[in-house]
Amino acid sequence: MTSFKNKHLGAGIAALLVMANITSLPAAAHETKLPLGDGQVSSQPKQDHVYSCKTRFNPNAPGARGSGGWIKGDYWYPELKPKVDGDVVWSNSQIKVQLSGNTRQIRANNLPSHGTGVYPVKRNDDAYRYDRNPNSIRSQSINLELPANPELASRASCVPMGMIGVALTGAAIYNALDARGDDAPAHEIQDECGGHPERRGQYHYHNGSDCMIEQDPGPGKHSGLIGYALDGFGIYGNQDRDGAHLSNADLDACHGHVGAVNWDGQLVTMYHYHLTDEYPYTLGCFAGTPVRGR
C-alpha cells in the first residue's frame, strides 16, 4: 500500500502551514519488535504505564476480533500487522490555533489533513479478518481553551478514555488503551497513518504516525511540536537535540521532561511531552491541569 505522507492538505491546515515552519514528521524508526503493553495500567503515575481514569475494563468490549502473527509472546511487530486499505481525501480538514492573551484557542473539525483508510472496513480488506471496525469518520467540533503558558500541577492526574490531546493534523490523540484495557496500537488495526474512528466517528491516533506534521523543529535535531495535550503542554516527536530516539527511560511517568524547545517562535526551557515507539507511546498521565476535551 502507498504511504499517505501528507499528500493531501485541506484548506484549513494549509492556512496553519503558512503561519509557521511546519514540515512532515520524519519517518519513525520502528524497532523490529516492541514490548507489548497489555496489563500496564496503573492507579497512580508509574513508568511504562498508563495512569488511567478508567479502572475497570470489559474484556469482551467491541474491538479487534483477534490477533495475527504480529504478536509473539510479550512483543509485537508493527511491520507484520495489516493496515486498513484506502486513501480517502478530506479536503475540508480545518484546524486553527491562535493565542488570545493567556489562552491558546484551538478550533478544529477533527478531519485529518492527510488521507485515511476506508471506514467502515470493507469485507475484501485484509484487515477485516482481524478488526471489522463498523464506524465511519465524521466531522467533530473541537473547541479548546488551553493555557498558553501551562504550569506543572502539584501532582499528576489520570488520562481519560477519549481525547487527551489534538495533533496539528487536526485529529484527536487518545491514550494507548483500547476499550478492553489492552495495548491499542498492538491489537487494533489502523490505517496507513495510524488512525481509525471510534463509535461517534472521531478519527484518532493512539501513538505516533509518519503522517503527523511537526512545527519548528530544534534546537539541534530536536523534534518539533506535533500537537497539544489537554493540559496545554506541547507534544513533540521522538528525537532529542542530538537526533537520538527517546525511550521511556529518558522521560518521566507522564512521558515528558524539562528541556529546551521552540515554543511560539521562541527557544524556551520548559516541560513538554514526547512520542516514543514504545508503550505508552504518547502520555502516561497529565503533568499539568487538563481542561475538558470537547
Side-chain angles (χ1 to χ4, degrees), residues 32-268:
T32 302
K33 64 180 182 180
L34 299 176
L36 193 62
D38 291 358
Q40 292 176 215
V41 182
S42 64
S43 57
Q44 60 185 356
K46 187 176 181 180
Q47 197 81 19
D48 307 324
H49 286 63
V50 173
Y51 173 19
S52 174
C53 299
K54 184 173 183 177
T55 57
R56 294 184 179 181
F57 294 89
N58 179 3
N60 298 314
R65 297 169 59 88
S67 300
W70 66 89
I71 294 181
K72 301 177 181 180
D74 295 329
Y75 295 90
W76 69 286
Y77 296 73
E79 300 89 349
L80 301 180
K81 197 177 81 164
K83 296 178 175 63
V84 175
D85 291 334
D87 188 1
V88 180
V89 179
W90 304 97
S91 58
N92 56 337
S93 168
Q94 295 180 359
I95 180 171
K96 183 178 182 180
V97 181
Q98 65 180 20
L99 292 174
S100 178
N102 294 322
T103 301
R104 187 182 312 279
Q105 299 175 338
I106 301 178
R107 306 286 183 265
N109 63 2
N110 206 102
L111 298 178
S113 60
H114 53 71
T116 69
V118 175
Y119 293 97
V121 179
K122 292 185 175 181
R123 288 179 175 270
N124 61 353
D125 190 323
D126 292 343
Y128 188 82
R129 175 182 176 185
Y130 305 102
D131 192 337
R132 301 180 181 182
N133 190 327
N135 305 311
S136 299
I137 298 173
R138 295 187 175 91
S139 176
Q140 313 283 319
S141 178
I142 295 179
N143 295 289
L144 298 175
E145 304 280 336
L146 304 178
N149 298 294
E151 297 180 352
L152 292 171
S154 58
R155 58 187 303 177
S157 56
C158 60
V159 289
M161 303 299 285
M163 187 169 70
I164 62 171
V166 60
L168 295 181
T169 60
I173 298 172
Y174 281 25
N175 69 36
L177 303 174
D178 64 13
R180 300 166 186 167
D182 290 330
D183 185 333
H187 290 281
E188 295 182 325
I189 309 299
Q190 296 88 16
D191 62 22
E192 188 76 21
C193 284
H196 61 174
E198 43 84 88
R199 58 186 177 84
R200 296 174 302 160
Q202 185 170 57
Y203 183 86
H204 60 278
Y205 317 101
H206 291 278
N207 59 342
S209 165
D210 292 349
C211 299
M212 287 179 174
I213 51 179
E214 64 174 329
Q215 173 181 315
D216 296 334
K221 297 180 180 179
H222 192 284
S223 294
L225 181 79
I226 64 92
Y228 298 93
L230 294 186
D231 59 6
F233 285 113
I235 306 173
Y236 290 76
N238 63 2
Q239 290 186 185
D240 65 15
R241 65 183 302 157
D242 296 322
H245 284 253
L246 294 161
S247 69
N248 290 352
D250 301 307
L251 307 171
D252 64 17
C254 288
H255 229 229
H257 64 180
V258 175
V261 292
N262 285 319
W263 183 250
D264 294 329
Q266 297 184 347
L267 184 62
V268 179

